Amino acid sequence: MNVPPVGDLLAALRVVAIPMRVPFRGVTTREVALISGPNGWGEFGAFLEYGPQEASRWLASAIETACHPWPDAVRHEIAVNATIPAVPAAQVAGVLARFPGCTTAKVKVAERGQRLDDDVARVAEVRAVMGPSARLRVDANGAWSVDEAVEALGRLAAYDLEYAEQPCAHVEQLRDLRVALVRAGVDVPVAADESIRKAEDPLRVRDLEAADLIVVKVAPLGGVRSALAIVQECGLPAVVSSALDTSVGISSGVALAAALPTLEHACGLGTVALLAGDVTPCPLLPDHGALRAGRVAVDEALLDRWAAPPERATWWADRVANCHAVLAAAPQEGGMP
């Protein structure tokens, strides 16, 4: 992928700050930079704590979306899951109401400052609201040790889990957990997320037999084509997920899901419902539990409405320049550091 001159990117940069409906992993306002290019808009939304090396992959994804065509789609509708932040059980029904038609839910667990009892109550309430036929999955974002994960999943398995996403932080722990769950008689498949998108070598998940399936996000993996190649090399079933994106970022995730040769699970691409606004008058929200593949039309008035303060726009412009330097120094074969 060719990297455009940094001046071209900065000239086409718009930065927005959109409040969250409920806090999500500590985020109350989502800031992202949007870049306009010949193919439309791309989204650069690397989380604020990421340094230039890691964040440069997110910029590569934004450039791909703005400047290059996506791979051909083999499907045009993508089933998506509801996403339940680590809210009290009493708020579960209200969150689920924002995901009409979804028959799968991902429930955040292992939130700092909460207890396992809180997780159990939340998952139990999701099951009660959605009924016995719904698919439920939990996401611990790597917060548990192997022993903690065995205990937690032993209790949560009573609610018939589809899988547990990144229950432990390290790929070796995921490998050990899969063995420990079998020994404990706990039938919960393990999915790798951070062990794919934040790893220097995402294929170690495959090599160590550390997961039953993988969760992939377009932006952290450098774009749709890069993510598609990783899925193909891993050879494991894949779920496409998002990273608190606007509809621009979500559209890239949908493009990946649409291009996968096989897609067995609902994807975590319904998270626009967690934002209090968007940059398009037609947000990518689930319709009968699914999203349609295609480009997003960005509205200038909405860019103005959600425009970040000038000092934050300057911060993001500096970040784009720093990440661009990483990409420009990388081998041009993939444009990825």
Side-chain angles (χ1 to χ4, degrees):
M1 181 185 72
N2 294 324
V3 180
V6 66
D8 292 354
L9 299 182
L10 295 177
L13 194 70
R14 300 291 296 270
V15 181
V16 297
I18 302 177
M20 303 292 299
R21 293 185 184 275
V22 294
F24 193 90
R25 293 185 61 193
V27 178
T28 57
T29 299
R30 183 66 168 124
E31 289 185 354
V32 302
L34 300 169
I35 298 169
S36 179
N39 273 50
W41 289 84
E43 181 164 327
F44 174 49
F47 292 113
L48 304 186
E49 66 270 21
Y50 293 176
Q53 188 74 24
E54 185 172 2
S56 66
R57 299 176 184 176
W58 299 60
L59 182 60
S61 176
I63 292 170
E64 179 195 58
T65 298
C67 301
H68 301 278
W70 285 322
D72 292 338
V74 298
R75 63 188 62 81
H76 297 284
E77 280 202 349
I78 308 301
V80 299
N81 62 261
T83 300
I84 312 300
V87 297
Q91 296 182 21
V92 162
V95 175
L96 283 172
R98 301 190 190 112
F99 297 90
C102 291
T103 57
T104 299
K106 179 169 84 168
V107 187
K108 289 291 185 177
V109 294
E111 183 85 353
R112 182 174 297 181
Q114 295 188 9
R115 304 171 302 156
L116 178 54
D117 286 347
D118 299 316
D119 296 335
V120 172
R122 185 180 311 112
V123 173
E125 184 64 15
V126 175
R127 174 59 73 197
V129 172
M130 296 189 73
S133 63
R135 293 186 176 188
L136 303 190
R137 54 186 72 154
V138 296
D139 182 7
N141 291 113
W144 289 323
S145 68
V146 172
D147 289 343
E148 289 169 339
V150 172
E151 178 190 0
L153 295 177
R155 292 182 61 183
L156 294 170
Y159 302 99
D160 188 19
L161 299 183
E162 182 184 25
Y163 60 78
E165 183 175 326
Q166 199 70 39
C168 305
H170 304 296
V171 65
E172 295 84 1
Q173 291 177 305
L174 297 183
R175 174 199 59 198
D176 295 345
L177 175 61
R178 292 185 73 214
V179 174
L181 289 173
V182 171
R183 288 175 176 167
V186 178
D187 184 16
V188 177
V190 172
D193 176 10
E194 285 88 344
S195 290
I196 296 292
R197 64 181 169 89
K198 293 176 74 71
E200 290 185 13
D201 180 9
L203 299 183
R204 289 192 73 229
V205 167
R206 175 201 64 192
D207 297 340
L208 294 180
E209 298 183 355
D212 299 282
L213 64 159
I214 59 174
V215 178
V216 290
K217 294 179 170 71
V218 167
L221 294 176
V224 174
R225 294 183 185 278
S226 176
L228 184 60
I230 287 172
V231 172
Q232 291 171 333
E233 286 190 72
C234 272
L236 292 171
V239 177
V240 182
S241 190
S242 60
L244 295 184
D245 306 318
T246 73
S247 287
V248 173
I250 294 293
S251 69
S252 297
V254 175
L256 171 59
L260 289 174
T262 60
L263 187 64
E264 303 170 6
H265 302 272
C267 290
L269 296 169
T271 51
V272 168
L274 300 175
L275 300 175
D278 201 0
V279 296
T280 174
C282 300
L284 282 181
L285 295 169
D287 181 14
H288 296 90
L291 296 176
R292 292 281 301 174
R295 297 273 175 175
V296 168
V298 170
D299 184 85
E300 288 286 340
L302 290 172
L303 290 175
D304 292 339
R305 177 181 179 184
W306 300 115
E311 65 274 13
R312 296 305 301 162
T314 298
W315 186 90
W316 277 94
D318 291 342
R319 194 182 199 197
V320 167
N322 291 334
C323 291
H324 181 276
V326 175
L327 291 180
Q332 288 305 299
E333 193 175 321
M336 282 272 294

Tab-separated table of all heavy atoms in Angstrom, residues 6 10 44 51-53 55-56 59 315-329:
chain	number	residue	atom	x	y	z
A	6	VAL	N	2.204	13.232	3.864
A	6	VAL	CA	1.542	13.603	5.121
A	6	VAL	C	0.729	14.879	4.952
A	6	VAL	O	-0.332	15.044	5.572
A	6	VAL	CB	2.577	13.735	6.251
A	6	VAL	CG1	3.536	14.910	6.003
A	6	VAL	CG2	1.890	13.880	7.603
A	10	LEU	N	-3.165	15.552	6.222
A	10	LEU	CA	-3.524	16.614	7.165
A	10	LEU	C	-4.504	17.600	6.549
A	10	LEU	O	-5.369	18.138	7.246
A	10	LEU	CB	-2.254	17.338	7.638
A	10	LEU	CG	-1.281	16.474	8.455
A	10	LEU	CD1	-0.037	17.264	8.808
A	10	LEU	CD2	-1.962	15.949	9.727
A	44	PHE	N	-9.311	7.028	11.625
A	44	PHE	CA	-8.124	6.792	12.435
A	44	PHE	C	-8.509	7.039	13.887
A	44	PHE	O	-8.639	8.177	14.309
A	44	PHE	CB	-6.993	7.734	11.994
A	44	PHE	CG	-5.764	7.681	12.861
A	44	PHE	CD1	-5.189	6.472	13.209
A	44	PHE	CD2	-5.180	8.855	13.314
A	44	PHE	CE1	-4.033	6.429	13.999
A	44	PHE	CE2	-4.029	8.836	14.097
A	44	PHE	CZ	-3.464	7.622	14.442
A	51	GLY	N	1.089	4.235	21.427
A	51	GLY	CA	2.195	4.979	20.851
A	51	GLY	C	2.191	4.924	19.338
A	51	GLY	O	1.400	4.199	18.721
A	52	PRO	N	3.103	5.669	18.685
A	52	PRO	CA	3.100	5.756	17.222
A	52	PRO	C	3.253	4.410	16.512
A	52	PRO	O	2.635	4.196	15.466
A	52	PRO	CB	4.289	6.678	16.925
A	52	PRO	CG	4.446	7.503	18.159
A	52	PRO	CD	4.070	6.598	19.293
A	53	GLN	N	4.057	3.490	17.048
A	53	GLN	CA	4.264	2.217	16.371
A	53	GLN	C	2.960	1.440	16.258
A	53	GLN	O	2.578	0.977	15.178
A	53	GLN	CB	5.319	1.389	17.123
A	53	GLN	CG	5.757	0.132	16.398
A	53	GLN	CD	6.664	0.423	15.207
A	53	GLN	OE1	7.318	1.465	15.165
A	53	GLN	NE2	6.694	-0.483	14.237
A	55	ALA	N	-0.157	2.638	16.900
A	55	ALA	CA	-1.216	3.449	16.288
A	55	ALA	C	-1.042	3.574	14.780
A	55	ALA	O	-2.022	3.808	14.056
A	55	ALA	CB	-1.231	4.840	16.927
A	56	SER	N	0.174	3.400	14.282
A	56	SER	CA	0.391	3.541	12.837
A	56	SER	C	-0.392	2.504	12.045
A	56	SER	O	-0.767	2.744	10.890
A	56	SER	CB	1.889	3.440	12.515
A	56	SER	OG	2.384	2.146	12.802
A	59	LEU	N	-3.652	3.998	11.357
A	59	LEU	CA	-3.573	4.983	10.278
A	59	LEU	C	-3.506	4.283	8.922
A	59	LEU	O	-4.127	4.731	7.956
A	59	LEU	CB	-2.354	5.884	10.471
A	59	LEU	CG	-2.191	6.992	9.425
A	59	LEU	CD1	-3.400	7.929	9.411
A	59	LEU	CD2	-0.900	7.781	9.670
A	315	TRP	N	-3.724	18.036	18.477
A	315	TRP	CA	-3.109	16.817	19.032
A	315	TRP	C	-3.222	15.668	18.045
A	315	TRP	O	-2.250	14.933	17.816
A	315	TRP	CB	-3.794	16.462	20.347
A	315	TRP	CG	-3.166	15.312	21.081
A	315	TRP	CD1	-2.178	15.378	22.015
A	315	TRP	CD2	-3.495	13.916	20.942
A	315	TRP	NE1	-1.860	14.104	22.461
A	315	TRP	CE2	-2.649	13.200	21.828
A	315	TRP	CE3	-4.415	13.210	20.160
A	315	TRP	CZ2	-2.703	11.805	21.954
A	315	TRP	CZ3	-4.465	11.817	20.270
A	315	TRP	CH2	-3.626	11.134	21.165
A	316	TRP	N	-4.376	15.501	17.428
A	316	TRP	CA	-4.577	14.409	16.472
A	316	TRP	C	-3.764	14.643	15.194
A	316	TRP	O	-3.250	13.683	14.605
A	316	TRP	CB	-6.057	14.244	16.149
A	316	TRP	CG	-6.771	13.426	17.179
A	316	TRP	CD1	-7.458	13.872	18.273
A	316	TRP	CD2	-6.858	11.998	17.222
A	316	TRP	NE1	-7.961	12.814	18.998
A	316	TRP	CE2	-7.614	11.653	18.377
A	316	TRP	CE3	-6.383	10.973	16.412
A	316	TRP	CZ2	-7.889	10.332	18.729
A	316	TRP	CZ3	-6.660	9.652	16.746
A	316	TRP	CH2	-7.403	9.338	17.900
A	317	ALA	N	-3.649	15.884	14.764
A	317	ALA	CA	-2.833	16.171	13.579
A	317	ALA	C	-1.378	15.804	13.838
A	317	ALA	O	-0.708	15.200	12.973
A	317	ALA	CB	-2.955	17.637	13.191
A	318	ASP	N	-0.873	16.129	15.022
A	318	ASP	CA	0.492	15.736	15.372
A	318	ASP	C	0.625	14.218	15.407
A	318	ASP	O	1.643	13.652	14.984
A	318	ASP	CB	0.882	16.324	16.730
A	318	ASP	CG	1.036	17.842	16.711
A	318	ASP	OD1	1.186	18.397	15.604
A	318	ASP	OD2	0.994	18.455	17.798
A	319	ARG	N	-0.403	13.554	15.893
A	319	ARG	CA	-0.368	12.091	15.973
A	319	ARG	C	-0.351	11.465	14.578
A	319	ARG	O	0.372	10.497	14.337
A	319	ARG	CB	-1.589	11.606	16.759
A	319	ARG	CG	-1.491	10.163	17.197
A	319	ARG	CD	-2.731	9.714	17.914
A	319	ARG	NE	-2.464	8.509	18.699
A	319	ARG	CZ	-3.391	7.702	19.179
A	319	ARG	NH1	-4.678	7.971	18.955
A	319	ARG	NH2	-3.066	6.632	19.877
A	320	VAL	N	-1.156	12.014	13.683
A	320	VAL	CA	-1.138	11.530	12.296
A	320	VAL	C	0.265	11.676	11.707
A	320	VAL	O	0.784	10.753	11.046
A	320	VAL	CB	-2.174	12.281	11.445
A	320	VAL	CG1	-1.948	12.019	9.953
A	320	VAL	CG2	-3.588	11.878	11.835
A	321	ALA	N	0.892	12.822	11.948
A	321	ALA	CA	2.239	13.046	11.414
A	321	ALA	C	3.238	12.042	11.981
A	321	ALA	O	4.076	11.494	11.249
A	321	ALA	CB	2.685	14.474	11.711
A	322	ASN	N	3.152	11.764	13.272
A	322	ASN	CA	4.071	10.811	13.896
A	322	ASN	C	3.851	9.390	13.370
A	322	ASN	O	4.800	8.649	13.104
A	322	ASN	CB	3.898	10.834	15.417
A	322	ASN	CG	4.384	12.125	16.037
A	322	ASN	OD1	5.250	12.800	15.474
A	322	ASN	ND2	3.848	12.480	17.186
A	323	CYS	N	2.586	9.003	13.228
A	323	CYS	CA	2.278	7.665	12.707
A	323	CYS	C	2.634	7.556	11.224
A	323	CYS	O	3.075	6.494	10.754
A	323	CYS	CB	0.805	7.342	12.927
A	323	CYS	SG	0.364	7.112	14.667
A	324	HIS	N	2.450	8.640	10.493
A	324	HIS	CA	2.823	8.644	9.080
A	324	HIS	C	4.314	8.395	8.927
A	324	HIS	O	4.741	7.664	8.010
A	324	HIS	CB	2.439	9.984	8.445
A	324	HIS	CG	2.752	10.076	6.986
A	324	HIS	ND1	4.009	10.430	6.504
A	324	HIS	CD2	1.996	9.840	5.879
A	324	HIS	CE1	3.997	10.419	5.200
A	324	HIS	NE2	2.791	10.065	4.784
A	325	ALA	N	5.124	8.971	9.818
A	325	ALA	CA	6.568	8.756	9.754
A	325	ALA	C	6.918	7.284	9.927
A	325	ALA	O	7.827	6.763	9.273
A	325	ALA	CB	7.270	9.610	10.816
A	326	VAL	N	6.171	6.591	10.810
A	326	VAL	CA	6.394	5.148	10.999
A	326	VAL	C	6.039	4.391	9.717
A	326	VAL	O	6.793	3.524	9.264
A	326	VAL	CB	5.565	4.627	12.185
A	326	VAL	CG1	5.694	3.103	12.298
A	326	VAL	CG2	6.001	5.283	13.489
A	327	LEU	N	4.894	4.726	9.127
A	327	LEU	CA	4.485	4.037	7.912
A	327	LEU	C	5.435	4.307	6.756
A	327	LEU	O	5.770	3.410	5.978
A	327	LEU	CB	3.078	4.472	7.515
A	327	LEU	CG	1.919	4.029	8.417
A	327	LEU	CD1	0.596	4.555	7.868
A	327	LEU	CD2	1.866	2.517	8.547
A	328	ALA	N	5.877	5.547	6.635
A	328	ALA	CA	6.753	5.913	5.521
A	328	ALA	C	8.102	5.201	5.615
A	328	ALA	O	8.749	4.931	4.593
A	328	ALA	CB	6.970	7.422	5.496
A	329	ALA	N	8.527	4.868	6.848
A	329	ALA	CA	9.807	4.183	7.045
A	329	ALA	C	9.692	2.676	6.901
A	329	ALA	O	10.706	1.977	6.821
A	329	ALA	CB	10.367	4.525	8.423
